[in-house]
Amino acid sequence: MAALTGMSEVSTVSRSDVSAYPSVALSAEATPFTPLRMDGWQLGSSSDAEKQFSRCASKLRGLRGDSAQLREELNILFDQLLSENYNKTFDPTINIRPEGVCSLLKHASSLVPLSQEHLVIKFCQLIHHLLNQLKVIMDEHTLDILVKYTTSALKVCSTWTHSDVLLALSTIVYGNGPQCHQHLSNLLREDGVLLQYSSPSQSNMELRRVALNCMANICLRIPGQPPLDDQYRSVYFSVFLKTLQSPKPPDTDELFYCMVVQAALKGLQCCLSGGKWKFGGGEDLGSVLALLKRLMFQGAPGVSVEWPAVLYPATLPQYEGLPASKSAEPEKPAERPKDTALPGKTSGNKKRKSRGKGKKTSAEDSRGDDGEEDDKVSAPQKGGGGGGREGGRGNAESFSKPSALSLYPSWKKNSSDSEFSDPEGNAQCKLRLYHARVRQGALHCLLAVVKSIEKRTLYSFWSSFIPDSPIGGLPPLTLLTIILKDLSPKVRACALQVLSAMLDGSRQFLAVAEDTASPRTSYTPFSFSLATAVRELHRALSLALLAETSPQTLTQVIKCVAYLVANAPYHRLRPGLLSPLWKQMRPYVRHRDANVRVSVLTLYGALVTTQAPLPEVRLLLQQPEGSTGSGLLTPQDSALSWRQRDGVSSPSRTPGPLSQRGSCTHSPRATRTPVEEDSSPPWLLQLCVSLVTQPREDQSDSEGAGTGGVSLEPSPVRLEALQVMSHLVRGYFSLVQTCLHDIGQVSARCLRESDPSIQLHGTKLLEELGTGIIQQYRTENKVPESSRVPMSQVVLFWSEVLSGPLNAALQNEQHPTLQTSACETLSSILPQAFAQLPDKTQLMCITVLLGLTYSENYLVKTAAVRALGVYILFPCLREDVMFVADTANTILAALEDRSPNVRAKAAWSLGNLTDTLIVNMESVGVDFQEELSDMLLLKMLQAATRASDDKDRVKSNAVRALGNLLHFLRRSQLTRSAFQRPLEDAVRSLVKTVQSEATMKVRWNACCALGNAFRNPSLPLDSAPWSRDAFSALCNVVTSCKNFKVRIKSAAALAVPSDRSFYGDVKRFSCVWRSLATALENSEDTNDFLEYRYSASLRHTLSHALLHLLGISQPLDMPALGSSLSGNEGRGIREHLMKYVRAEEGGGAGGGTEGGEGAQGEKDTGDSFTPQQRIGGLQQTLIRLKGLEAEGEEERGREEVVDFLEDLLKTCEEP
């Protein structure tokens, strides 16, 4: 009900007819009236308030409409009920049941006739008083009665009562908009009171304000409630928009007008927030944005411009952003400055010297707008022209004329402000307060617009709210102007929220920005303008950081910078943007406010995450600890310097375990490489370790005392520090690998604590360490052995981890999320290191994981099944038949789980397990195949077939497992009757998936699976009835599928059978050839531009497949092949085959498929062959075809094929 405050600031009621109680101005913001005893103690205790309510309600229920004293009794009872304070913030023990309130109001509505207008007013005030203070959730019957009563009062009663009636109606409908649907048509009649009173032509500002408030509350939707119907929402939207667009009526008090604008802004925000809003014509959105931009500067000193009625999509700022244009000069803030500008100019330099006095201002700012405005009036009395906002924001002139030397933005105070008399000063203070609320409401609306429209639409208005660097003249009025120059911390915080929302998710838009190339003189590319805007954002937010001392707003500034850092393309910008920011943030890690410290760590996390590893950030991390701290003390250092030791106040002084030892390389237990001996731990890592492990030196920041004798940092600070450490390990592992042992000790310490959140982040840090080690040892990353963490150190690290508190986390059933993270940590062990761990440690890991797959929590079960899928690929475990069998049985059980997440990971693990079967078949041979149970293989085949009919994320890996199993089965198993039906079902399931409308990933995995099955020479491809369907499905997909990656995989599968007999009869072989030839001819036909990047790979794979068919063809195939190669089709095929043999087109980018299929795809496309090898293969094919014996049509066809290949070979051998 907080939104109801401010509804009745002006309405008053005379109570001269009740002598027992004084006349009181009823207001939502007034101090509640509480009668006192003679001794001064309050009567309004919880029991007294409840008894008074019960007594009055009981008397009220006893009244009848025909009573002679009804009017007097109702007056007395209403006054008694209104005199009580039912606010639970005043007394939390008050417990009045909502049913009792609803019953009282329903009965009272039947007793108060609409002809008794004074009673109607008191009853409406009682409705507002009870509902607002008790936060009553009404039932639909009560809501219906009260809405009907108030709407009837608006029709019958005199106009002078309507203010209180509308106030009651707005209280009734607050949060109950969806239940008022049946009343909307009545409330929104063209001749209705709401539209009449909310019209810009209404002269009574109070009625207009209350009517707009009522309409806003009808539009308001609590999360979870259905949105307002578009037909009604559009009516309300137009009313609010017209109100905001209409000028202030003449002879209207500015305060009243501000209250009307606030109500309209609140309604506009409710309209925009209640679901996605579809703006009308092309200028609808532009007019709303232009309006909000004007109101963003309502009452701002020095701003006197002619605002545009509509903002249009443009890459350049509109109006005030064109300083060189003469037509835009009237819109400049400096063209018509207020008469207070010149005196403020003379005091600008003096104010910068008094920034150290910002401590009290900061404390008063935190009280809210009322406190801050009082401070603005009293500030001139404290020191001449000084004293503005936090270290130098004054009042008027710098909005319109910025100083060239202004390092700290300011509204310079006018010396004449101190000449106000007391009434004038209070009026000016209140007016500034209301103007600030208007600006705040406009920014809230703008935030709702940003969230309700598509990003690409929003970016077309980017330049209207975010400027690029000013080339000359005066800068435009944008969000940055408010952030730097507005007096109200709440307004600045709202502007920062809007800017953060615009930056959030803007990575794709900002990716265009680039300024690394030399600038052009003829024109400015959009990419350069966008890069300039990014630099201007850095400059302005850096200034805001220097000037801001309000902790809440400072937190928003740092968060906004973090959004910018996370989305800006620094690899396309000239270096140097991040270094000043990195250095500027270092003092803030010592800020007294914990929220500021958390936001600083969030920003550092963004810095080490964005485009990692970034060369500039790497250099910053490698700088010595004390090399960047000089000259960076900010105006807030008096409030920052609490993290000090022994009187040392250097901003870079953040001692911790790492810095106390000097370097992580001093650990005697770990072997070091020469590279490590010359390196020291990054300053940021030392800071995070100290924040996690070291006691807090100063507890005066009201963060609460610790439970033990040593008080650590607040939990949010420690958690954010652990996240930054994880980001460091992930992005810059080579810089922190020297501290592997010490970081492991930090994680172990976290796991020993009682806070589950700290434990969770400790396990995640261990997981990142393990993943970083694995990445170093991967062959494709080509990390030199001298730069890797030594294997002995990796083994020692995991030995300590697995013998430490990680075991307790794995068995902590009270915190499943912690168990899940611990399982993921076990899966990040380097396979080579796992093989060197003691046998009992290996057995412990396997046993724990097998046991956790039976957990009742699906998260734990999912992580355990996935970890087993990782372990099954370990070389030291994959040849262990017992482990393979145990893992297979566990995975089969998980595939039947009711959770789709568990089934998806089980299918992925089954795919890995079957990959292991193929590896063992090729390395170990028949011995491994014979040791594995036939019954287990049959169960796996059946389970994978069932999973291939599951959801797509399960199906994508289930078909992968099917392909591996069909490849693995031996002839003795395939001939058994028990395998006949499951074999047919498995192949038909793959065929069905290839032809289905499933996601493309599933379909290309199914094509790969069929190709994998074709590798098994024991499969009866020539005679089985299902083989015809398999070849037919692949031929259909290779010619008709819209996705080129699916075509690539199907073409690769058609080229797998190594012998001509596997293709079946001549008809099937000819069908495969025609399909491949047609696909090659149409390899560039697509409506999706994104598919063109795969067209070269597709032609590469198709050419390889056609040459493969020529290499295994027999005399019976010659007529069809000769006919295809001799005509126009043959000339097209020849061109593509020539490019393939010469390797003129890149191949093998068949998509690097997900699910572990990438390597197989490379093998299928024949990418490992050089042009010389391909020419050699072509020569062998030609020699073989020349040796074939054929007669009649077969001989003529053979000659045509031979002529074709000779011509192709001759062309390819030419230099």
Side-chain angles (χ1 to χ4, degrees), residues 241 244-245 265 268 285-300 303 305-312 314 316-322 331 333 399 438-447 449 461-468 475-482 486 491 498 502:
L241 196 59
L244 296 171
Q245 289 174 337
L265 284 171
L268 190 64
L285 175 59
S287 61
V288 172
L289 291 176
L291 170 67
L292 295 178
K293 185 172 182 180
R294 172 174 64 84
L295 293 175
M296 281 162 44
F297 295 93
Q298 177 82 14
V303 176
V305 300
E306 294 181 7
W307 296 95
V310 181
L311 292 180
Y312 296 98
L316 294 176
Q318 190 173 342
Y319 292 93
E320 63 271 9
L322 298 174
E331 288 87 40
F399 241 130
V438 170
R439 298 196 297 272
Q440 189 175 350
L443 288 166
H444 280 307
C445 282
L446 182 58
L447 181 61
V449 172
F461 296 93
W462 178 277
S463 59
S464 297
F465 298 94
I466 300 176
D468 54 11
L477 297 176
T478 62
L479 287 170
L480 298 183
T481 313
I482 300 174
D486 202 291
V491 176
V498 175
M502 294 182 69

Side-chain angles (χ1 to χ4, degrees), residues 783-806:
V783 178
E785 187 173 353
S786 60
S787 300
R788 299 175 183 172
V789 180
M791 182 61 66
S792 58
Q793 187 177 343
V794 177
V795 174
L796 177 62
F797 169 77
W798 282 114
S799 298
E800 294 179 348
V801 168
L802 296 174
S803 61
L806 184 64

